[in-house]
Amino acid sequence: MRKISILLAILISFSVANAQQQWSLDSCISYAIEHNFTVRKNMLTLESKRIELQSAKMDIAPSVSASVGESFDIGRSTSVTGVIVNNSQSSTSFGVGMNMPLFQGLRTHHNIAASKLDLQATVYDLEQTKDDIALTVTAYYLQVLLAKEALDVARKQEEISQNQVERIEKMVDYGRSSDADLYEAQASLAADQYAVTEAANNLRLSLLDLTQLLNLSGIAEFDVQEMDDLYFTQLLSQTYNMDAYLNGALTNRPALKATEQRIAMSERHIKMARSGWYPSLSFSANYGTGYYYAYQSAFIENNLPFGTQLNNNSRGMFSLSLNIPIFDRLSTYNSVKKAKLNLANYQILLEESKASITKEIEQAYANVLASREKYHSAETYLAAAKKSFAYEEKRYEAGASNIFQYNESRNRYEKAQSDLLQAKYSYLIRLKILEFYGQQ
């Protein structure tokens, strides 16, 4: 698994509280990869490819087999001299044979090379799966952080509303405010309390989504590390080179590497198919012996000892076999054509993947720049809304404005806080996508 982007570094400071285990992004990604079902299945596929490679390598080795046979003839049977006589007899045979291909048009050589390429392509498939999981976990992780900060904002708004209710209650007691203002403030407090409940539920659901993605049961003891604002500020000030990200993506993306390996594998398959036009040469060797025993009394005296018969009946054979193809009903010709079509398909797939990644990098780059500008705009908006609310709060306390103007200003301030949070995490996830595609 390749190095996770700088976002891993911005989530490093944490403390354990209330017996909750706080997980870093790195630990979440590692746990998700280790327990992901797709990764586990891909690991089995990878092991299967290793076995296939081992089998391909063993095709160059000779095959050796041994045989033992026992037969019984009752009544008329063939004697040792070959004449059929009235005799019951038994015979035992022993043999060992070896067969070894010497030349098959380099088919075995190309098959070994193709199996190696297929294995490497499967390795890249596994890396791609891990990278996809890392990106998905990052998105869910950032969603949890967004929900946590949104809950903090909601609680602060609830605290402001609670203080406002208490302030107006005193003002009503002194006759400086009306019951209508108090009812309006209490309604705003109730709305903020509802917002806190909703934000808490959103956080709980975000944690549940993340734990389910990790295949981790339960969220009671699960929490994530907070983000250090200093690192986020550094992220905002860094520069981005789209060409560097694009070159990194086209060079290092596991999906592209897997396709490149399969293109090379298809070229080997073409050579394997062409081997059907070449002669094949094989070598074989066999050794056999046997033991004969006649049960008829007239022939018993002819039964030689076991060891003597094994020595006398032994027979060895060595042979070379050359097979020259003349016409195979166009089987080889069609196999070559199919292999070439398969190669062309992978070449198109590679071109399509490169074009798709280029578009995604360009879009991700534009999204990063746009989301960063949006964050700065939201930051400016929040500063203005905060100042406006502080001023409106003083005006209301001085009796220069009413509760409706106060709530309108406060709502703008609350929306500005929400917009800033959305812009912040929108920027982070888009930055992660850009780094994910262009990682070195």
Side-chain angles (χ1 to χ4, degrees):
M1 167 96 189
R2 278 198 284 299
K3 180 183 177 182
I4 305 302
S5 69
I6 193 172
L7 286 176
L8 291 176
I10 68 175
L11 303 163
I12 58 174
S13 60
F14 70 97
S15 59
V16 176
N18 299 326
Q20 284 188 317
Q21 179 183 2
Q22 291 191 318
W23 291 52
S24 66
L25 176 58
D26 192 18
S27 60
C28 286
I29 291 174
S30 299
Y31 189 91
I33 290 174
E34 182 180 355
H35 295 83
N36 183 266
F37 296 121
T38 303
V39 170
R40 291 162 63 183
K41 288 188 290 186
N42 285 356
M43 292 290 289
L44 296 177
T45 301
L46 183 61
E47 187 61 29
S48 176
K49 296 298 181 182
R50 289 195 178 100
I51 295 174
E52 290 178 9
L53 175 59
Q54 182 65 27
S55 298
K57 290 179 177 180
M58 293 305 297
D59 284 343
I60 62 175
S63 60
V64 181
S65 61
S67 63
V68 178
E70 180 74 26
S71 64
F72 296 91
D73 292 318
I74 300 174
R76 296 178 63 80
S77 60
T78 303
S79 66
V80 176
T81 61
V83 179
I84 298 178
V85 297
N86 291 324
N87 178 35
S88 295
Q89 66 182 29
S90 66
S91 60
T92 305
S93 62
F94 305 92
V96 61
M98 182 197 74
N99 185 64
M100 181 177 182
L102 298 180
F103 180 76
Q104 293 180 312
L106 299 178
R107 180 181 182 86
T108 302
H109 169 72
H110 294 311
N111 188 33
I112 293 173
S115 296
K116 289 180 179 179
L117 293 168
D118 192 19
L119 174 61
Q120 187 59 51
T122 305
V123 171
Y124 288 134
D125 287 340
L126 179 59
E127 290 183 5
Q128 182 63 53
T129 299
K130 292 180 178 180
D131 283 350
D132 291 342
I133 292 171
L135 182 60
T136 304
V137 170
T138 300
Y140 278 62
Y141 192 96
L142 293 177
Q143 185 61 39
V144 172
L145 294 181
L146 172 59
K148 289 170 73 72
E149 292 201 37
L151 178 58
D152 289 339
V153 170
R155 285 172 174 166
K156 290 177 181 177
Q157 291 297 324
E158 180 189 20
E159 183 179 357
I160 292 174
S161 294
Q162 182 65 49
N163 292 335
Q164 179 67 0
V165 168
E166 295 174 357
R167 185 183 302 115
I168 293 178
E169 286 177 343
K170 294 179 180 179
M171 293 173 66
V172 169
D173 291 340
Y174 289 107
R176 295 178 56 191
S177 184
S178 65
D179 290 337
D181 287 349
L182 179 59
Y183 297 151
E184 181 66 23
Q186 290 173 340
S188 296
L189 174 60
D192 288 337
Q193 289 172 340
Y194 174 81
V196 169
T197 301
E198 187 176 31
N201 288 335
N202 289 337
L203 174 58
R204 190 177 297 108
L205 291 174
S206 297
L207 286 169
L208 178 61
D209 289 340
L210 181 56
T211 55
Q212 288 180 340
L213 181 63
L214 302 181
N215 287 324
L216 187 67
S217 60
I219 63 172
E221 301 301 325
F222 181 83
D223 195 10
V224 299
Q225 294 178 7
E226 301 292 339
M227 178 178 295
D228 192 331
D229 290 335
L230 175 60
Y231 286 99
F232 177 72
T233 302
Q234 293 175 353
L235 284 178
L236 286 172
S237 62
Q238 73 180 52
T239 57
Y240 310 105
N241 187 329
M242 189 184 73
D243 291 335
Y245 283 117
L246 183 58
N247 291 334
L250 295 178
T251 303
N252 300 309
R253 286 287 290 159
L256 294 181
K257 288 186 175 181
T259 304
E260 290 170 350
Q261 295 297 309
R262 291 189 169 98
I263 287 176
M265 179 184 69
S266 298
E267 292 172 345
R268 290 288 183 174
H269 284 165
I270 293 175
K271 295 178 180 180
M272 287 173 58
R274 286 173 175 167
S275 66
W277 285 322
Y278 293 92
S280 60
L281 179 65
S282 61
F283 169 77
S284 62
N286 294 278
Y287 171 81
T289 186
Y291 172 74
Y292 170 88
Y293 186 84
Y295 294 100
Q296 197 77 12
S297 57
F299 301 104
I300 289 180
E301 62 183 15
N302 296 327
N303 293 330
L304 296 178
F306 181 79
T308 301
Q309 286 199 43
L310 292 183
N311 182 62
N312 292 344
N313 296 334
S314 64
R315 177 174 177 264
M317 181 187 70
F318 301 92
S319 66
L320 288 172
S321 176
L322 178 66
N323 180 48
I324 302 175
I326 297 177
F327 180 71
D328 61 356
R329 294 170 293 181
L330 299 181
S331 176
T332 300
Y333 174 76
N334 289 328
S335 295
V336 172
K337 287 184 66 176
K338 289 176 64 177
K340 288 182 177 179
L341 291 174
N342 196 42
L343 171 61
N345 181 63
Y346 278 123
Q347 289 173 334
I348 294 174
L349 178 60
L350 180 61
E351 292 178 11
E352 181 184 23
S353 299
K354 286 183 176 180
S356 177
I357 287 178
T358 299
K359 293 178 182 178
E360 289 170 349
I361 287 290
E362 291 173 347
Q363 186 64 50
Y365 179 77
N367 287 337
V368 166
L369 297 183
S371 59
R372 182 167 63 178
E373 292 301 319
K374 185 177 179 180
Y375 176 83
H376 288 312
S377 298
E379 198 173 30
T380 302
Y381 175 46
L382 176 60
K386 183 178 181 181
K387 184 182 296 184
S388 175
F389 174 63
Y391 176 71
E392 188 63 34
E393 191 173 32
K394 293 179 180 178
R395 289 184 71 243
Y396 179 79
E397 292 176 356
S401 68
N402 56 45
I403 188 64
F404 300 103
Q405 293 173 319
Y406 172 86
N407 285 339
E408 183 180 0
S409 178
R410 195 197 67 164
N411 290 338
R412 283 198 302 268
Y413 177 48
E414 183 178 353
K415 182 179 183 301
Q417 290 177 301
S418 177
D419 289 346
L420 184 65
L421 284 180
Q422 294 292 338
K424 175 181 179 180
Y425 286 97
S426 175
Y427 170 74
L428 284 174
I429 188 58
R430 281 164 171 74
L431 175 60
K432 173 56 184 173
I433 292 173
L434 180 62
E435 292 182 343
F436 168 76
Y437 282 118
Q439 55 190 322
Q440 302 298 320

